[in-house]
Amino acid sequence: MKHRLTLLFVISFLLPFSIWAQVLTPGTTSGFPGTQNPNDRNGFPNPATQNNQGKSKGPQKNGRAALDDSTKQVYGPNTMYYVHESDVVNSRDTKRRVDTTLSLFHRYLFQEKSGFLTANLGNDGTAVRNVFFQSPGSLGTQLGYSVYSPYAFQSDQVRYFNSKSPYSEVEYNLGGGGQTRLNFNFARNVDSLWNIGIALQRMVADKVLTDAAFKSGEQSLLGQWGLMLHTNFQSKNKKYRLLGHINYFDQGTNDQGGVKLSKTLTADEALKYIDNTAILSNSLSQSNDKFIKFHVYHEYVGWKGLQLFQSLDVENRTVKFRDKAFQQSLADGFYPRTYIQYIQAPTEDSLYNENQWSSYSHQTGLKGIYKQFVYRTYLKQRYWSVYNPMNESKLDRFENYVGLWINQSFNQNIDFTAEGEYLLGSDYRLKASFQSPIFQVSAQRISYSPSVAQNWVYNTSYRWKNDFANISMDEISGGINLKSRFIYFKPGITIQRISDWVYFDSLATPTQTKLGIGVFRTSVDLGGQWRKFSWFTKVYANTQTGPDVLRMPNLLIDANLALDVQYKKLLYVQFGIDIHHQSAYYADAYQPALQQYHLQNNYQIPAFVQIDPYVSLRINRVRLFFKMSHANYGLLNNNYYTAYLHPAMSRVFGYGVKWLLFD
């Protein structure tokens, strides 16, 4: 089987390159949705107004000015651009510019960048979950250990540059609780057709709960590395194009399990203190998630209406968890049971969970453009396998997909898109959307496979082998855009019906409900700009029907108010305040041994309001911010929990700097 797979991938990979050899033979600024960015005036100087400081001499030649030695070439954000792979795949002639504004620059934590639509365990870099239910991004069986994956570089967000000059991007953020992040990006053109680049990220955070290691001076909670090597190439005749990257990620976490309660210390009382003891107080619990992914996309334009494209993906991943104090944690009730008499663990007193995942896939198809109509059709083949060393067993599957994507543009601002994908004999996705300046509407139906973690686990404390039915979801969403010179108003609605939902119960055991779950969520996006003031408010109101096995808050509010000040055209300053509110609900607990959030019925997370004042500055090509997170801590309320028994960060000071270099 492996030999046939290897031969298949070699042939599918080399075939388009035989075409390449013939081809090479000589012969969005960021800002508020629905409006122009209110901070465009904080962007870098336009190099078009600075490139001709010297005087040109001599006559015009071939429509271009002959430049003398006194003319100085100035590189900047308007002399370079980048594209995402989706722009190329969908035949969009898009040139994206790097963000140079101060708009929301101070939001450096992951949950802040998501608009507080994600939550973690109180520290940046800890296990992530969506606050509201989201449809899956891909079909087919997934590993299901994914709480750290959002921190890694995402394939659909890789920036493929045409930088002309060497481009560097350095960002450093430091916040309370040791939340430190360093990002470095570099790209340069080898020549006018070929660009190469590297992206590096490092994240660390300190513990907020006391354990044995903390008492001895070891405060490190987590460490994370991310490395991306990327390249893009286009032939001189523009008939061949290649995009590719290698993505490496390594996350290590010293899990603490949450606040340890007692008869005298309740969950409410624990919120009054910042020196609580951890449940896993022996400091012998560790998680690790490590992967390396290889991705390449290439296409050949024979004719505008008939083009050949292909993408190839290879992934190897290992997910581990170990608690060397398993017996003590079991006695404390953190784990539900033990199979240690049946399983030989790596050490005598240890809970150990490991999964070794491999995936290989290719997607090959045709696409084309006819006037304002774009189509794409493809065949996809995928082979995945997962190995569990605890019982030396393996699961694997070979999957075949077919897909179709079409887009009809009626003008620059109105278009219709429809797509469908089918995993033969199993999963499918049908989706259609209509976009216009006045309103947007979309509808989709998805049926997707449960994950490996939901169907198959075998370790010291958890063991099951299920055969759950596919999970199905119907969704309709839409919104209206209303705006004037100073204000915009965007009401929206999302209706979801989820069938055969698989969830982890209060013992972190997977269960499938046959009853349908209904979700009805309205939203209002309101904001605008007046003189030097800009503001926005996003409100989400959520209600549900059916079994109470999918927990979400009923109300979530995210707001920002900013004042922009300019001093002598050299210093740009933005004074602002963020306000975030979330209603009370039974937020999920987290089980690190499985990397899964699961239900809990012991404690309703109280409602809270968090207020974050900040100051952002730009001096030439350097941007800085200074921010006081949770400034209202101890005033309007004590602290709050981001997940069951995992307190949020108390009042902390943070700052950051980002420097862009274009030569």
Side-chain angles (χ1 to χ4, degrees):
M1 178 68 176
K2 289 186 177 179
H3 296 297
R4 293 198 298 270
L5 282 170
T6 302
L7 180 61
L8 172 65
F9 276 92
V10 169
I11 294 174
S12 62
F13 183 82
L14 292 181
L15 179 60
F17 280 95
S18 65
I19 301 174
W20 185 20
Q22 301 177 32
V23 173
L24 298 182
T25 303
T28 33
T29 56
S30 70
F32 305 132
T35 68
Q36 293 183 348
N37 195 313
N39 296 298
D40 283 342
R41 58 186 177 282
N42 289 337
F44 291 6
N46 187 340
T49 65
Q50 303 182 21
N51 289 352
N52 299 317
Q53 297 176 0
K55 296 181 179 180
S56 61
K57 298 180 180 179
Q60 297 283 328
K61 296 182 180 180
N62 297 327
R64 293 177 295 177
L67 303 179
D68 64 12
D69 293 338
S70 66
T71 300
K72 183 180 180 180
Q73 177 67 43
V74 177
Y75 294 101
N78 293 314
T79 64
M80 61 173 290
Y81 66 90
Y82 67 90
V83 298
H84 292 314
E85 183 174 314
S86 60
D87 300 326
V88 179
V89 173
N90 296 329
S91 302
R92 297 188 181 119
D93 186 15
T94 304
K95 295 183 178 179
R96 302 176 184 267
R97 305 294 179 179
V98 294
D99 183 13
T100 63
T101 71
L102 291 180
S103 176
L104 302 184
F105 173 65
H106 63 283
R107 292 193 174 185
Y108 68 103
L109 300 176
F110 185 85
Q111 71 271 23
E112 296 173 344
K113 291 184 176 181
S114 72
F116 295 94
L117 294 178
T118 61
N120 55 28
L121 301 180
N123 297 69
D124 201 26
T126 53
V128 175
R129 64 183 173 90
N130 290 316
V131 175
F132 297 121
F133 174 79
Q134 301 290 328
S135 61
S138 56
L139 302 182
T141 302
Q142 308 299 321
L143 181 58
Y145 295 83
S146 57
V147 293
Y148 298 118
S149 300
Y151 295 111
F153 293 112
Q154 304 300 308
S155 294
D156 60 351
Q157 295 299 314
V158 176
R159 296 181 296 175
Y160 296 102
F161 286 95
N162 184 337
S163 59
K164 296 181 174 64
S165 63
Y167 169 67
S168 300
E169 185 178 288
V170 183
E171 182 176 11
Y172 176 76
N173 300 312
L174 177 62
Q179 298 176 119
T180 305
R181 180 193 296 267
L182 173 65
N183 292 325
F184 173 76
N185 287 275
F186 175 79
R188 69 163 299 154
N189 275 39
V190 177
D191 54 36
S192 61
L193 304 173
W194 181 21
N195 184 279
I196 58 174
I198 181 173
L200 176 70
Q201 67 177 16
R202 170 65 171 165
M203 181 192 300
V204 297
D206 291 342
K207 297 174 180 177
V208 296
L209 302 176
T210 302
D211 57 21
F214 188 93
K215 293 178 180 179
S216 64
E218 177 52 55
Q219 300 183 14
S220 176
L221 174 67
L222 61 91
Q224 179 191 112
W225 285 100
L227 176 65
M228 172 83 72
L229 303 175
H230 58 85
T231 186
N232 68 92
F233 170 83
Q234 187 172 35
S235 63
K236 190 173 183 179
N237 60 9
K238 297 186 177 181
K239 286 187 173 294
Y240 181 82
R241 191 164 188 174
L242 179 143
L243 312 171
H245 65 260
I246 299 174
N247 186 2
Y248 172 78
F249 178 75
D250 188 356
Q251 166 94 14
T253 304
N254 298 310
D255 297 289
Q256 294 193 291
V259 175
K260 188 172 185 177
L261 303 179
S262 64
K263 293 182 179 180
T264 58
L265 183 67
T266 64
D268 285 328
E269 287 293 322
L271 290 175
K272 299 178 182 179
Y273 308 104
I274 59 175
D275 57 350
N276 292 298
T277 300
I279 293 176
L280 304 176
S281 57
N282 292 313
S283 308
L284 297 175
S285 305
Q286 292 182 330
S287 297
N288 180 250
D289 190 352
K290 181 187 297 185
F291 68 70
I292 185 168
K293 299 179 181 180
F294 169 77
H295 173 81
V296 63
Y297 169 86
H298 53 172
E299 64 181 27
Y300 172 70
V301 182
W303 297 272
K304 191 174 182 180
L306 186 61
Q307 307 171 25
L308 173 68
F309 73 93
Q310 183 184 61
S311 64
L312 303 169
D313 290 274
V314 178
E315 176 185 2
N316 283 287
R317 184 178 177 195
T318 302
V319 180
K320 299 179 182 179
F321 174 81
R322 171 177 288 168
D323 185 353
K324 294 183 180 180
F326 170 58
Q327 295 294 347
Q328 180 61 49
S329 301
L330 181 68
D332 292 341
F334 190 72
Y335 304 114
R337 65 186 68 83
T338 178
Y339 294 106
I340 205 165
Q341 62 267 38
Y342 307 113
I343 301 177
Q344 182 59 48
T347 59
E348 183 176 351
D349 183 18
S350 172
L351 188 157
Y352 187 74
N353 192 47
E354 179 177 347
N355 287 274
Q356 300 172 13
W357 168 271
S358 296
S359 175
Y360 312 89
S361 68
H362 81 92
Q363 184 182 115
T364 305
L366 301 173
K367 67 174 189 170
I369 306 173
Y370 178 73
K371 294 183 179 180
Q372 293 182 310
F373 177 77
V374 183
Y375 76 92
R376 184 175 75 251
T377 183
Y378 57 87
L379 166 68
K380 176 181 176 181
Q381 294 180 302
R382 175 175 178 254
Y383 172 76
W384 62 263
S385 66
V386 59
Y387 173 72
N388 187 333
M390 291 295 296
N391 60 350
E392 298 182 345
S393 59
K394 176 182 176 181
L395 296 178
D396 62 353
R397 184 179 178 184
F398 190 85
E399 300 173 338
N400 292 285
Y401 302 75
V402 291
L404 174 67
W405 182 92
I406 58 174
N407 174 264
Q408 175 65 60
S409 295
F410 300 96
N411 57 43
Q412 188 176 1
N413 299 315
I414 301 177
D415 65 31
F416 170 80
T417 302
E419 61 180 298
E421 186 176 59
Y422 177 48
L423 166 57
L424 301 185
S426 182
D427 305 10
Y428 64 86
R429 181 198 304 269
L430 297 172
K431 183 177 181 179
S433 63
F434 178 81
Q435 303 283 333
S436 76
I438 304 299
F439 70 93
Q440 304 85 38
V441 62
S442 67
Q444 64 173 326
R445 177 171 176 80
I446 305 173
S447 175
Y448 61 98
S449 301
S451 67
V452 171
Q454 293 169 334
N455 266 336
W456 185 56
V457 165
Y458 194 94
N459 60 45
T460 317
S461 188
Y462 298 94
R463 185 170 64 179
W464 54 76
K465 192 167 186 179
N466 301 313
D467 187 20
F468 289 135
N470 272 17
I471 304 167
S472 300
M473 188 202 73
D474 297 288
E475 180 180 273
I476 299 176
S477 62
I480 300 174
N481 297 333
L482 302 174
K483 61 181 179 179
S484 65
R485 181 180 176 184
F486 300 111
I487 192 171
Y488 67 86
F489 175 63
K490 293 177 59 178
I493 186 173
T494 299
I495 302 174
Q496 297 169 322
R497 188 182 186 280
I498 307 163
S499 302
D500 298 309
W501 175 243
V502 177
Y503 63 96
F504 286 81
D505 62 19
S506 59
L507 296 178
T509 303
T511 305
Q512 186 165 48
T513 176
K514 294 299 181 180
L515 301 176
I517 301 172
V519 179
F520 183 83
R521 182 164 57 252
T522 57
S523 64
V524 174
D525 191 355
L526 179 65
Q529 180 181 351
W530 181 72
R531 294 185 178 180
K532 296 182 179 180
F533 290 93
S534 57
W535 60 282
F536 74 80
T537 302
K538 297 180 181 179
V539 180
Y540 300 89
N542 189 85
T543 59
Q544 295 173 231
T545 61
D548 186 23
V549 294
L550 182 59
R551 309 283 172 79
M552 295 178 279
N554 292 330
L555 181 65
L556 188 148
I557 302 174
D558 179 28
N560 174 269
L561 173 65
L563 169 65
D564 294 302
V565 179
Q566 179 180 345
Y567 179 73
K568 292 186 177 180
K569 297 184 179 180
L570 296 175
L571 176 64
Y572 297 86
V573 184
Q574 184 179 88
F575 301 93
I577 185 170
D578 278 339
I579 302 175
H580 176 56
H581 166 71
Q582 185 174 284
S583 62
Y585 75 112
Y586 283 88
D588 288 348
Y590 177 67
Q591 177 49 255
L594 303 171
Q595 280 195 19
Q596 302 295 329
Y597 281 93
H598 63 90
L599 299 182
Q600 61 86 20
N601 302 305
N602 299 321
Y603 181 71
Q604 186 180 51
I605 305 300
F608 66 87
V609 175
Q610 178 172 324
I611 300 176
D612 304 336
Y614 66 90
V615 178
S616 298
L617 308 94
R618 184 179 69 78
I619 307 172
N620 196 11
R621 293 179 175 177
V622 178
R623 284 174 290 170
L624 307 94
F625 73 84
F626 302 93
K627 174 180 178 179
M628 181 64 72
S629 298
H630 209 171
N632 59 309
Y633 174 80
L635 300 177
L636 299 178
N637 51 265
N638 294 311
N639 205 354
Y640 63 90
Y641 290 108
T642 59
Y644 178 57
L645 299 184
H646 289 274
M649 198 68 64
S650 58
R651 185 190 301 114
V652 293
F653 177 75
Y655 64 88
V657 59
K658 190 169 186 177
W659 191 5
L660 307 185
L661 300 170
F662 297 91
D663 47 33

